[in-house]
Amino acid sequence: MRRTKPSRRARYYLCLILWGASFSNPSQGQQADRQTDPPPDAPKSSNTNTKGFFARWADFYRQDWSGTVASSPTPARRGVPSPLDSPPFPNSDWSYGGSPVIGEADTNTYPLMTAINEARSRTKIYGWIDPTVNFSTSTNSNSPEANDLYSNRLEMNQFVLYAERLPDSVQRDHIDWGYHLTALYGTDYRFTIAKGYFSGQLLNDHRQYGFDPTLEYVDIYIPKVAQGMTVRVGRFISVPGIEAQLAPNNYIFSHSLLYAIDPFTDTGLIATVKMNAQWLVQLGITGGHDVALWTPDAKPSGTACVSYTTKSVNDNFYLCANGINGGKYAYNNLQQYDGTWYHKFSKTVHMATESWYMYERDVPAVGGTIQPETGANAAYCLPGEHRCTAPEYALVNFLQKELSVHDFVSFRSDFLDDKKGQRTGYATKYSENTIAWCHWFGTTVQLRPELRFERAWDRKAYDYGRRQNQLTVASDLIFHF
């Protein structure tokens, strides 16, 4: 198994984030981000001030795992109430991309920030490590499964470090700001990489392990526009979708086939306006999917979304047209039309359903004289065609049952039709079914075992075309710090 060390640039990047965090420490005399009092849910201790960095860090885990962390009051909030419990679920709200939740206070505390400055600053540094293991009937590759691409392996999928400041969008008195920086190292870098952002690790060198600055953006909150508006500028996760690239933001460790082949990140600007408690609209312009603005593949692309939540908060509908331009073939220049529906059946049972249609025009034909983009597939066009339109559509449903504040089970059903094989390399229909259990140790460790079966219906498309079916047993362990 080939392993590579982080590049010098990656190590420099990680050090730079940690160095910048020192300015959020009140002991350094930096007052811009300092709050008068620690967040209400910060761990309380009568002798905290006498303890050192590692003692405070250890105390956080000890209290978290033993359930002795002091309870905190419900934070101030504008809008409809949260429909879900988090934990155990990844989010407490029906999610939308491109913005923090407008009207929700940032009261999160993290082990590392408690150790650094007793969680007193608005700038927060935190992250996780995510080792994984899988056993598969395929012997070479689990593709197009994500994120356990390598079969029968123990891997480090993600080692992630965040530096983040969220704007205060509860108040409506003044403009506020925030930012987010992400450093990701592991095998999952291939599912976040964008052409032009250190992409040679994958496109040229085909490294198993790599580094990616996945999210780098600034948020501006403007309170006087409707019920609040945020403007995000930088590189951010592609807006629509139930699933996300960062491990803790998902119901299940592995990802749906729908997720595995859709866009991952965009670079540009997006504005999110909270019209009222139920309606939210978004408009944005980017350089296209999974490309940096300075690459030849970048082109002006529009994004427009609308989200509606019922008064009961039992239903949410989120519709997006994402990365829309002429659709002519370029690196991941997908024209995506996406719809998501969340429904809450009861206090402990809810579902999330997503469907999309995507296409590219003028995709080079397999075996033709026109070479496809490096890192992309050609399409199975009709005989005699040198280029053709390559469409695909998909549907996925997640059904969740909360068992306790520490546990839930999830069942996922997934269908994908890669009509010209341009996204997976095989022109076939796929189905996938997964059952998974998520267990929390306190609020800092997640264990997510799963059993997954999938099938390619029209031809052998698994294990490099050797198998028509694939069964995997897998799990990850997310350790938050």
Side-chain angles (χ1 to χ4, degrees), residues 328-466:
K328 189 173 182 179
Y329 180 72
Y331 185 84
N332 274 10
N333 189 34
L334 299 163
Q335 309 300 288
Q336 182 185 27
Y337 297 90
D338 189 284
T340 302
W341 172 37
Y342 296 94
H343 177 69
K344 184 176 179 180
F345 294 97
S346 68
K347 179 177 175 55
T348 61
V349 180
H350 75 276
M351 74 172 189
T353 302
E354 180 184 0
S355 181
W356 55 238
Y357 172 74
M358 302 191 307
Y359 70 91
E360 286 186 82
R361 295 191 301 106
D362 298 333
V363 178
V366 172
T369 58
I370 304 170
Q371 290 298 314
E373 286 272 345
T374 301
N377 296 315
Y380 287 90
C381 303
L382 294 175
E385 289 185 324
H386 298 288
R387 292 180 180 271
C388 62
T389 296
E392 49 274 331
Y393 63 89
L395 175 68
V396 65
N397 177 264
F398 292 81
L399 180 64
Q400 282 67 235
K401 166 65 176 178
E402 181 177 352
L403 304 177
S404 72
V405 70
H406 295 289
D407 299 272
F408 73 88
V409 292
S410 180
F411 178 74
R412 179 179 64 209
S413 295
D414 186 19
F415 175 82
L416 165 68
D417 188 357
D418 188 6
K419 295 182 75 66
K420 298 293 180 67
Q422 199 265 329
R423 301 304 295 165
T424 66
Y426 298 91
T428 184
K429 302 178 185 69
Y430 299 86
S431 64
E432 172 259 327
N433 292 279
T434 300
I435 187 166
W437 167 51
C438 176
H439 175 70
W440 285 85
F441 300 88
T443 62
T444 52
V445 180
Q446 294 172 261
L447 178 66
R448 302 188 297 182
E450 65 174 57
L451 176 65
R452 171 176 176 144
F453 177 77
E454 50 202 306
R455 177 176 175 81
W457 287 92
D458 303 313
R459 65 190 62 208
K460 294 180 179 180
Y462 287 97
D463 207 14
Y464 296 137
R466 295 178 177 89

Side-chain angles (χ1 to χ4, degrees), residues 216-238:
E216 318 294 326
Y217 57 76
V218 173
D219 283 329
I220 305 297
Y221 167 66
I222 305 172
K224 301 300 184 181
V225 177
Q227 295 295 309
M229 176 177 78
T230 61
V231 178
R232 178 165 292 180
V233 182
R235 185 185 180 203
F236 47 86
I237 288 177
S238 181

Side-chain angles (χ1 to χ4, degrees), residues 72-94:
S72 59
T74 302
R77 179 185 173 91
R78 288 194 296 114
V80 296
S82 297
L84 304 176
D85 295 327
S86 180
F89 297 120
N91 303 298
S92 57
D93 293 280
W94 307 130

